[in-house]
Amino acid sequence: MPVDPYILLLLGTVGLAALFPASGTAADVASGASTAAIAFLFFLYGARLSTREAMDGVKHWRLHGTVLICTFVAFPLLGLAARGLEPAFLTHDLYTGLLFLTLVPSTIQSSIAFTSIARGNVPAAICAGSFSSLAGIVVTPLLAALLLGGSGGGFSTDSLVKIVLQLLVPFLAGQLLRPWIGGFLTRHKRVLGLVDRGSILLVVYTAFSEGMVQGIWSQVSAVRLAGLLVVEALLLGVMLLLTWYGAKALRFDREDRIAIQFAGSKKSLASGLPMAGVLFGAHASLAVLPLMLFHQMQLMVCAVIARRRARDPEVSGRPGPGRPSGTGGGAGAGGTAEGAGRAGGPARAAGPRVSPVATAGRQGLASPRS
């Protein structure tokens, strides 16, 4: 399977920071530019999310609650369980970064894109990713204060205010301006997609430049990095299995299970990087290394899973991605579409018919990158 060019760009950005790190005035300029870029990125998130879809998404509380539990409960518990690997397998700093990655919110774009490819419930993925990002603005710093303690993840009212100003305020501003700029964003979604990617690349360059200037990379050996990759592969595998079979045990239908798996098993680089900068300060570059590696891994693995889900026997012979999306069915909501049909009742009573591909296209979020 071909490698996503954006992954190569991320690796190239790390290499550029290693060879030509920003220092002095250049570092101050890069830091200010990256802060502004992330704020603009969350402004675009807010402007792209339909307020009507967000309000409709609140009705699927079982699905969103499941995603939030996976993101902010199951992930951190696995991170705490990995403490036994320190210091024999992971250094203290690498373990701190690993634990931090388990605390950050889920992705938005990649959850939508993979859910659409797999023919899942795209509107639910849109809302689940957005709700997770908004909840993470408060939950992630609180969890960092509780679990990281004196490990560099310092929490204070000032740090929470900084995160809110950088992430939540731009998001809400985008929501308020959506009626006037929504059409423009739809027409120029490809160009704005470059802004998304460029913003993350700039933040990565700034964080890794700071690490190079401070010489912290000399503290990480190739053997330790290999160990970290193994641990992260196990972490991702456990969460992919937990979200898929856990959602099945909760009797969600196929479309909702797909949304839960992709929204509940991934972590957002776009949200995690600025939060790490505020919480860890000068040590942010090493703290985000596990998150960066996990980010690349989740994109490659989930791309394979999404394509296989699209070829599942249970969707053979059905219409393609344009058929109606799920709405959080399961036993508590009246069962699946198939079960309702056999009972003679309405198959999908809640909500209008929405095309996953069309919905993702309207949001301008068709490629996995967050």
Side-chain angles (χ1 to χ4, degrees), residues 11 19 34 46 58 93 95 120 124 147 159 210 212 231 239 256 260 284 308 317-318 320 330 332 359 361 363-364:
L11 296 176
L19 295 174
S34 65
V58 175
D93 289 335
Y95 172 72
L147 302 180
S159 65
E210 188 174 1
M212 289 300 301
V231 173
M239 287 306 303
D256 291 344
I260 290 170
R308 290 185 177 179
R318 296 184 187 179
T359 303
Q363 299 299 321

Side-chain angles (χ1 to χ4, degrees), residues 17-361:
L19 295 174
F20 306 102
S23 60
T25 303
D28 293 336
V29 172
S31 178
S34 65
T35 299
I38 289 296
F40 184 59
L41 182 61
F42 272 76
F43 172 81
L44 293 179
Y45 286 167
R48 287 165 173 167
L49 177 64
S50 166
T51 304
R52 177 180 176 182
E53 285 177 337
M55 296 305 297
D56 288 342
V58 175
K59 300 175 184 177
H60 314 326
W61 60 269
R62 291 183 66 245
L63 185 148
H64 300 308
T66 302
V67 171
L68 290 175
I69 290 172
C70 290
T71 303
F72 297 116
V73 178
F75 253 116
L77 287 176
L78 290 173
L80 290 174
R83 188 183 297 274
L85 301 174
E86 179 196 350
F89 207 65
L90 297 175
T91 65
H92 175 72
D93 289 335
L94 287 180
Y95 172 72
T96 298
L98 177 70
L99 183 56
F100 173 73
L101 92 81
T102 67
L103 309 182
V104 303
S106 177
T107 63
I108 299 178
Q109 293 111 315
S110 57
S111 296
I112 297 168
F114 290 137
T115 300
S116 178
I117 292 170
R119 301 183 182 182
N121 188 340
V122 174
I126 293 172
C127 295
S130 300
F131 294 162
S132 178
S133 292
L134 292 176
I137 292 173
V138 175
V139 175
T140 298
L142 292 177
L143 287 175
L146 177 64
L147 302 180
L148 294 174
S151 300
F155 172 79
S156 65
T157 303
D158 183 59
S159 65
L160 180 60
V161 169
K162 287 181 179 179
I163 292 173
V164 167
L165 290 177
Q166 189 174 359
L167 305 182
L168 180 59
V169 171
F171 183 93
L172 295 178
Q175 277 281 284
L176 291 175
L177 294 178
R178 175 179 166 78
W180 295 277
I181 65 176
F184 175 84
L185 294 179
T186 300
R187 293 191 300 271
H188 299 86
K189 60 185 178 183
R190 291 187 178 181
V191 176
L192 293 173
L194 298 177
V195 175
D196 285 1
R197 297 187 172 209
S199 299
I200 296 175
L201 291 176
L202 179 58
V203 176
V204 168
Y205 173 77
T206 302
F208 276 77
S209 288
E210 188 174 1
M212 289 300 301
V213 170
Q214 296 177 0
I216 64 174
W217 298 112
S218 59
Q219 305 171 21
V220 184
S221 67
V223 174
R224 294 291 192 178
L225 285 178
L228 176 63
L229 286 173
V230 171
V231 173
E232 292 193 334
L234 292 173
L235 176 64
L236 178 60
V238 169
M239 287 306 303
L240 286 170
L241 292 173
L242 179 63
T243 50
W244 183 251
Y245 290 104
K248 183 178 181 179
L250 292 173
R251 303 184 67 182
F252 284 98
D253 63 23
R254 179 187 178 276
E255 290 86 351
D256 291 344
R257 288 168 64 193
I258 289 173
I260 290 170
Q261 183 176 52
F262 289 128
S265 65
K266 296 198 303 304
K267 293 295 183 176
S268 174
L269 192 65
S271 297
L273 287 175
M275 289 182 182
V278 173
L279 296 173
F280 291 93
H283 301 284
S285 51
L286 190 57
V288 300
L289 177 61
L291 177 60
M292 278 196 59
L293 295 176
F294 190 83
H295 178 264
Q296 319 312 326
M297 189 181 298
Q298 71 187 12
L299 290 183
M300 292 186 284
V301 173
C302 289
V304 174
I305 292 175
R307 288 182 174 88
R308 290 185 177 179
R309 290 271 182 261
R311 298 193 297 268
D312 281 350
E314 56 191 296
V315 297
S316 299
R318 296 184 187 179
R323 70 184 191 85
S325 296
T327 59
T336 63
E338 292 84 348
R342 288 193 297 269
R348 309 293 288 183
R353 295 187 175 187
V354 183
S355 164
V357 173
T359 303

